[in-house]
Amino acid sequence: MSAEADAIRALVAARLASRAQHGEDVAAAAEEAASLPGQLETFRPMLSPIDAPDGLRAVLGQG
Amino acid sequence: MTAALHRLDIAGLGARLRGGAVGVRALTEAMLDRAEALNPSLHAFVEVWRHPALERAAALDGAGPAPDQPLWGIPLAHKDLFARAARQPGCGVAGPVGGAALPPAVALARLEDAGSVDLGPLVLAEFALGITGSNAHFGDAANPWDLTRCSGASSSGSGVAVAAGLVAGSLGTDTGASVRVPASFCGVVGLKPTAGAIDGSGMFPSSWSMDCAGVLARTVADAALLFAAASARHRSPRGGALRIGLPTRFYTDHAEPDVAAAWQAAAAVLEQAGHSLVETNVVERTEIRALARIVMRTEAAAVHRDLMLQHPANYPTSVRKFVSGGEGVLAVDYVDALRLRGALLREALATTYRHVDALLTPTVPLTPPRYVEIAAATDVEVWQRVGLFAHYTQPASYLGLPAMSVPFTLSSGGLPIGMQLIGAPGAEEVLFHAAAPLERHWRGLGAWPGGTP
């Protein structure tokens, strides 16, 4: 996971390089991006392979 | 007679207008005078539209009240995130926003068709990407209860204008907190309806998947009326005893003592009103906020990455921080965060909402801090504290559930504390019914913001 986080930090730094002169806080953005995937793992076991990205609308429509 | 018009709710104003006690133009002029007098200290309006509002008022006076216009002559103003036929939204920034033109917002058109008078666009956090009420372009929106304190955001101008009696109601938007947090901090009612209940066309996007138009007003009845008009729905008011869920986890994490005590007091008030209290498990846990952030950050990055290069002055550091984390989200994680919305909602409906009609939670763990405290804190302190503002509100946005903040009591420091009611999809009327005892408690305090008598 650490290697993945390091890769995400590097990716964010590279993508934000063109905005650096406008006061972009590259380190903060990279840290935020690196922290998110790990928390996703808490819920990922709930997913079925066939769950679709627009599943919320389908459930709301049944309400 | 007009001295106290600004304190009346929509029903009270409507009765005076239709009974001829006051004309639409006279009411509009009084409200415009108040808005122009107080806006320099409140920073609620981007601009006050005196002449267009008076022309509209005169036309309404000339035509007379119509039965199908429940908001006939009612002064409103709306978050500057909605497109009008002759004006694109300013999005809370001073310079050109850029990007393609949006179509006129359907929700605004419905409120106008219902007879309301629009007093002008309201301030918001830049691009609706902020939560304190600060704005680098128009000044920090001042909380009417203490002008030095945060109003909450991103519908900051809406919360301030309604609380201060500059308008009777407002259309706002809520992607994770943006109607409910300013409503709680400013002591007004704020409804984020079920996802998609109010047509969001013509609304500048923050996060397409989670953006939700909502309403702010001074009473629950007014919020219900505005919601019905904006969503073009007929009301079917709910009655009877409800099962009120008290979550056993998550929704009191980080609560200040005054907030936790208010939540317990609110539960007691609901029980005394005849509703039953049910301790209930919930699907929400801290990590659900990361799911919401994955969706919001990724979509905000997609909206703004080119605009930030074209118009860098529009983007203060706080907004850049919000957007830029999305540059590093992997596509498969973004898709899974979207897929989990349906899975978690199914779970919530099969568990929590099988046993309760509505959840009762505080709206915000904290009472509004002073802007100077935010400005003086270190980055880490700020983000830890400000991040908590949306702790209780973000899950309902992620799950697409209707949620409403209703003012309940004052803190020991005299600041409003709102309670949040969350319902199953389409259960807005349940929320209005459940909120009634909490609102009675609030009105019994006879409180009005000291910063704007």
Side-chain angles (χ1 to χ4, degrees):
Chain A
M1 193 57 78
S2 174
E4 181 182 317
D6 286 346
I8 290 172
R9 289 189 190 96
L11 172 69
V12 172
R15 297 198 70 161
L16 296 187
S18 62
R19 304 205 296 249
Q21 75 270 26
H22 299 304
E24 195 80 51
D25 189 341
V26 176
E31 209 49 51
E32 165 81 354
S35 73
L36 294 172
Q39 298 176 73
L40 184 60
E41 297 306 324
T42 303
F43 295 102
R44 209 172 331 235
M46 295 180 66
L47 282 173
S48 149
I50 60 169
D51 282 331
D54 61 352
L56 183 87
R57 297 285 169 190
V59 182
L60 289 173
Q62 295 163 11
Chain B
M1 176 191 64
T2 58
L5 283 175
H6 65 274
R7 294 198 181 205
L8 294 178
D9 60 10
I10 291 176
L13 288 171
R16 281 161 180 76
L17 286 165
R18 288 173 187 272
V22 63
V24 179
R25 195 180 193 287
L27 171 62
T28 303
E29 192 153 33
M31 300 298 276
L32 289 166
D33 289 347
R34 182 171 172 80
E36 288 175 342
L38 293 177
N39 198 50
S41 58
L42 293 175
H43 306 135
F45 276 85
V46 172
E47 54 183 326
V48 178
W49 285 345
R50 172 169 286 274
H51 296 299
L54 289 176
E55 284 180 11
R56 163 81 170 157
L60 288 168
D61 272 332
D68 62 345
Q69 290 191 307
L71 299 175
W72 185 76
I74 300 298
L76 305 178
H78 311 294
K79 185 176 189 175
D80 194 9
L81 205 63
F82 296 95
R84 294 163 166 88
R87 181 182 181 277
Q88 288 294 299
C91 299
V93 298
V97 170
L102 291 160
V106 169
L108 279 194
R110 285 175 174 161
L111 292 173
E112 180 153 336
D113 289 347
S116 66
V117 179
D118 186 351
L119 301 194
L122 295 174
V123 169
L124 63 151
E126 296 89 345
F127 297 105
L129 299 176
I131 197 164
T132 62
S134 68
N135 185 296
H137 304 270
F138 296 102
D140 299 343
N143 191 316
W145 294 83
D146 177 342
L147 301 183
T148 69
R149 291 185 184 270
C150 294
S151 60
S154 64
S155 307
S156 47
S158 299
V160 171
V162 172
L166 310 187
V167 292
S170 178
L171 187 69
T173 68
D174 189 319
T175 305
S178 293
V179 161
R180 291 161 287 162
V181 168
S184 180
F185 277 3
C186 294
V188 300
V189 177
L191 171 71
K192 182 208 84 69
T194 307
I198 296 177
D199 189 319
S201 60
M203 185 168 79
F204 192 91
S206 303
S207 165
W208 299 279
S209 298
M210 290 180 51
D211 290 342
C212 186
V215 297
L216 298 97
R218 283 194 294 278
T219 69
V220 173
D222 286 357
L225 183 59
L226 291 173
F227 171 60
S231 62
R233 294 179 178 204
H234 292 291
R235 293 199 57 201
S236 302
R238 174 75 187 261
L242 299 173
R243 299 164 299 168
I244 303 295
L246 303 179
T248 55
R249 70 174 182 204
F250 184 79
Y251 281 107
T252 51
D253 295 350
H254 312 292
E256 287 180 354
D258 278 0
V259 173
W263 177 63
Q264 292 179 335
V269 164
L270 290 174
E271 189 170 39
Q272 287 160 13
H275 303 308
S276 57
L277 303 181
V278 183
E279 286 200 350
T280 183
N281 202 357
V282 292
V283 301
E284 291 91 328
R285 57 177 67 206
T286 298
E287 293 87 349
I288 200 171
R289 299 199 58 201
L291 302 182
R293 288 209 304 277
I294 288 171
V295 175
M296 291 171 65
R297 299 283 195 272
T298 308
E299 295 183 356
V303 173
H304 291 285
R305 67 188 326 269
D306 288 341
L307 292 175
M308 287 171 80
L309 280 171
Q310 293 159 8
H311 304 285
N314 284 345
Y315 293 85
T317 304
S318 60
V319 177
R320 289 175 177 275
K321 281 183 178 175
F322 193 100
V323 170
S324 297
E327 294 283 353
V329 175
L330 302 180
V332 70
D333 289 344
Y334 169 66
V335 171
D336 275 357
L338 288 175
R339 284 171 3 112
L340 277 163
R341 297 183 79 190
L344 279 164
L345 177 57
R346 273 199 309 273
E347 178 75 10
L349 295 179
T351 55
T352 307
Y353 293 99
R354 277 189 68 185
H355 306 295
V356 306
D357 298 302
L359 284 182
L360 174 70
T361 82
T363 307
V364 193
L366 318 170
T367 51
R370 291 189 170 86
Y371 281 112
V372 68
E373 295 173 50
I374 302 293
T378 66
D379 272 5
V380 172
E381 289 169 341
V382 168
W383 283 96
Q384 283 177 343
R385 191 169 188 201
V386 170
L388 290 179
F389 285 18
H391 195 74
Y392 302 153
T393 54
Q394 206 167 28
S397 294
Y398 180 72
L399 297 172
L401 297 172
M404 182 169 68
S405 181
V406 57
F408 176 67
T409 194
L410 294 170
S411 71
S412 51
L415 299 169
I417 296 176
M419 288 296 124
Q420 179 177 231
L421 292 156
I422 308 172
E428 283 82 3
E429 290 291 346
V430 170
L431 304 187
F432 300 145
H433 178 49
L438 305 178
E439 181 177 54
R440 278 197 296 275
H441 181 274
W442 169 252
R443 291 170 81 101
L445 302 176
W448 183 267
T452 54

